[in-house]
Structures are given as C-alpha cells and as structure tokens.
Amino acid sequence: MMMGIHFMGDVPFKDVYVHALVRDENGKKMSKSKGNVIDPLTIIEKYGTDAFRFTLAAFAAQGRDIKMSEKRVEGYRHFVNKLWNAARFALMHIDKSYDSIEHDNLSLPDKWILSRLSRAAINASEAIESYRFNDAAGALYKFVWHEFCDWYLEAIKPVLYGKEGEDKREKTLSVLWRVLHDTLVLLHPIIPFVTEEIWNKLPGTEGSIMRAILPLDNSDFAKIDRDLEAEAKMGLVMQVITGIRNIRGEMNIAPSMSLDVSIQSDDEIIRETINQHKDIIINLAGLGVLSVESYGKKPERMATSVIEGATIFVSLEGIIDFANETQRLEKEINKLTNELAPVLKKLKNENFLGKAPEDVVKKVKDKKVQLLEKQQKLQSHLDRIKDLE
C-alpha cells in the first residue's frame, strides 16, 4: 500500500480479501513438527492444479476455516474429469459455431437447460462480485454435474444421434454449443487450465478464454430468459424418472431390464405434461410401456412411488421372483445381525471405551452405524416384497 502511494501516487487496491485458515482434515492447525502439513505442489502433482483450486474455492466460506484433505481434492478431480468427458461428448457432435439460437419450437430439455444456465450465471456472478467464492463454486458444480451432465446430455442423446430429425438436431446443437461455451467462461476463474484446453477445441472461439466476454455481459446471452414453465415441466419429468429409478434400486432390478409403468393423477396438467414428454421418460427410465390415467383401482403386484400430484406404479410381474427374493433378503439380514452382535458387545464394554484409542472407538462406532443402516434398508425392502406377495 505504501509503495503504491509513494511510486504511483495512488492507492493500489480498494478491497482486501482475508481467506480462511487452512487446517488439516481433523481441524488441527498445520505444523511441520506435527507432520500434518499438506504440500500444495505434491497435491497438484497428484490431482492436478484445477482440482486443487476448485477444492479451495468450494471450501472458502467466509468466517469458516478450511479442513483440507486429499479425499476432498480427489472428489473435485472427479468433477474436472466429468466436465472434460462431457465436453468430449459434446465436441463429437458440434462441428461449427452457432451465432444465435432459434428459440421457437425448442424441446423441453433445451428450454430447461437454457433457463438453468441463466440462473447459474446470475448466481455465480453475484457470488464472485461479493467474494463468496464457495457459493460461486457450489452453483457451478450443481449446474455442471447434476443438471448439464446428469440430465441434459442424457435427455438429448436420441436427438444428437439423429433419431428425431435434422431440424431438431440443429436446434439442439445450437443450445449445446451455447451452454458449453458459457459454462467454460463461468468456470474459467476457478479452473483455468482445463477450460482453456476445451475452449481451444470448441468451434468458433478465438484466442485465449481469458479474453472471453462473461455471459452476463454478452448480448447473445441477454436473450436467454428464465423459463419457469419449462423448469416446472422438466422438474415433473425428472421426478417421475427419479421415482422409477428409486424403485429399480430398492427392488434390485437391473438397469437393462425394461419396465412397464402406469402413472395415475387427477391433475389434468400433470397428465398432459407426462404424455407430451413420454419419450424422455421412456428413454431415461428404461421403460417398455408407459400409460397415464386418472386415479382408479390400484393395480396388483406393483411397486409404488408417490410424487406431488401423482402416483407411479411399476409392474413387477415377471420381473421379480418373490419367493427367491424373500429368501435372499432374510439370509442377508441374518448375516448382518451376526456381524452386528460383536460390535454392539464391544461398544457396551466400558473397559474398551475407556482404554482404546479414540480413532479405534470411532471406527467401531462407524461400523455399527453402517451395519444398522444396511440392515434397516434390507428390512424395508423385505417388508415391501411381503406386502406385494
């Protein structure tokens, strides 16, 4: 500050950001004598600079110290890999740049992702402006992983592979180009290296991404408005797909097995929305048949999932051998009960609790929680099977 005033005749900066103290994974201050210091260069060599930067940004909440561990950095390396793989998939189909998007007759996933991009850009930009770097990282993480990768890219695959006509494919490609383009620009301040690499491979980009215009300052982006109707409709479609997937997981049904599903609702808008976007649900939920009707008699031998305004019925006829599944679950539950007995006995032993090292006691307690959770989940599944028999 003094040197700036002396030599330049002006205050060199107006704001000071005091970052949180970086501690070890147990919350203890890092010290060479304790041997709990994490060398940034070692972490960068092992996990990459971008993963390390994203970790620090994600945990840099104001007023809260950072508990640093390699596992957290590894977790964000998975995020960087997710972005890289998503970009590779997109660039397999994008062979040119798109100056604008024809907003007429866009598909529901296209309208939805543009709306979510708008919200992510606003949230991330506002967070960076107010030095809430963890909120910026969190908003972009959620958008890229859970919305762009997990839902949008999966929903548009049939379109990209030309199954729904060339006109629809071109419109979707224009949306995909815009979303990837703006996502890279938004992520660049946090993960500069991978975004620069992808940017140079994206058609229509010139020079370094460091010179790119931020989405909120871009006139093309200004044409993208929040579409709350599309968000509500896509939200319903996602609820239905998630409900069916949860039943698959709970009933131990293979993802490759085609299911017959019936959805009942007395809400005409819900029925109409599901009927309009049946293809997305059938594709992402792995269905053979999907019927939509008003509430009536509950079908037999159906697993159910309730969402707001509707009930999903998944037919288990010919899918599950109820007798064998019951026998398998009872055997698993008995096995867990036998594993749990010595753990519970050890935790009732005052001698063990008083003399054993803290980390050993914690490990036994964690094992108890894991076994109980698994046993509870299996018992719940068994109860559902018996109700359906």
Side-chain angles (χ1 to χ4, degrees), residues 289-305:
V289 175
L290 174 60
S291 61
V292 185
E293 55 198 25
S294 300
Y295 276 112
K297 185 180 178 182
K298 181 181 176 181
E300 294 182 358
R301 292 214 159 187
M302 291 273 195
T304 61
S305 177

Side-chain angles (χ1 to χ4, degrees), residues 115 157 166 218 270 331 343 348 358:
S115 184
K157 279 181 179 179
E166 191 56 33
N218 191 323
I270 289 177
K331 187 177 178 181
V343 174
K348 287 179 181 177
E358 188 179 331

Side-chain angles (χ1 to χ4, degrees), residues 17 27 63 67 104 131 134 139 152 155 255 273 354 376 379 387-389:
Y17 179 80
K67 291 183 181 180
D104 295 334
Y131 299 98
N134 62 305
Y152 180 67
T273 300
Q376 201 171 28
Q379 186 62 52
D387 288 341
L388 293 166
E389 281 185 297

Side-chain angles (χ1 to χ4, degrees), residues 83-238:
L83 173 67
W84 179 262
N85 289 331
R88 284 182 60 196
F89 172 76
L91 293 172
M92 285 169 53
H93 302 277
I94 297 172
D95 56 8
K96 64 178 181 180
S97 64
Y98 291 83
D99 296 329
S100 60
I101 297 169
E102 292 182 33
H103 290 269
D104 295 334
N105 300 318
L106 286 178
S107 69
L108 177 62
D110 289 337
K111 291 178 182 177
W112 173 76
I113 198 64
L114 287 173
S115 184
R116 298 308 299 165
L117 171 65
S118 174
R119 172 45 54 196
I122 292 168
N123 287 344
S125 298
E126 288 178 349
I128 288 175
E129 288 293 330
S130 56
Y131 299 98
R132 292 180 289 108
F133 303 121
N134 62 305
D135 289 339
L140 294 172
Y141 182 98
K142 179 184 175 184
F143 173 74
V144 172
W145 192 301
H146 299 296
E147 296 175 343
F148 180 58
C149 295
D150 283 357
W151 286 104
Y152 180 67
L153 290 182
E154 294 302 316
I156 65 171
K157 279 181 179 179
V159 180
L160 295 180
Y161 290 127
K163 295 180 180 179
E164 298 185 26
E166 191 56 33
D167 181 59
K168 194 171 182 180
R169 184 173 183 273
E170 275 299 301
K171 286 177 186 271
T172 293
L173 282 172
S174 70
V175 173
L176 180 59
W177 184 90
R178 169 55 60 193
V179 174
L180 181 57
H181 177 281
D182 289 354
T183 300
L184 293 174
V185 177
L186 289 167
L187 280 169
H188 181 68
I190 305 175
I191 49 174
F193 298 103
V194 71
T195 48
E196 181 78 57
E197 183 70 17
I198 298 169
W199 177 264
N200 289 326
K201 290 178 169 55
L202 183 66
T205 57
E206 293 182 5
S208 171
I209 192 174
M210 288 188 288
R211 300 179 66 85
I213 300 172
L214 287 165
L216 294 184
D217 299 326
N218 191 323
S219 59
D220 288 334
F221 186 86
K223 298 172 187 174
I224 300 173
D225 296 320
R226 288 291 304 280
D227 190 334
L228 298 181
E229 183 183 353
E231 289 192 29
K233 287 183 176 180
M234 190 66 184
L236 173 60
V237 169
M238 289 160 65

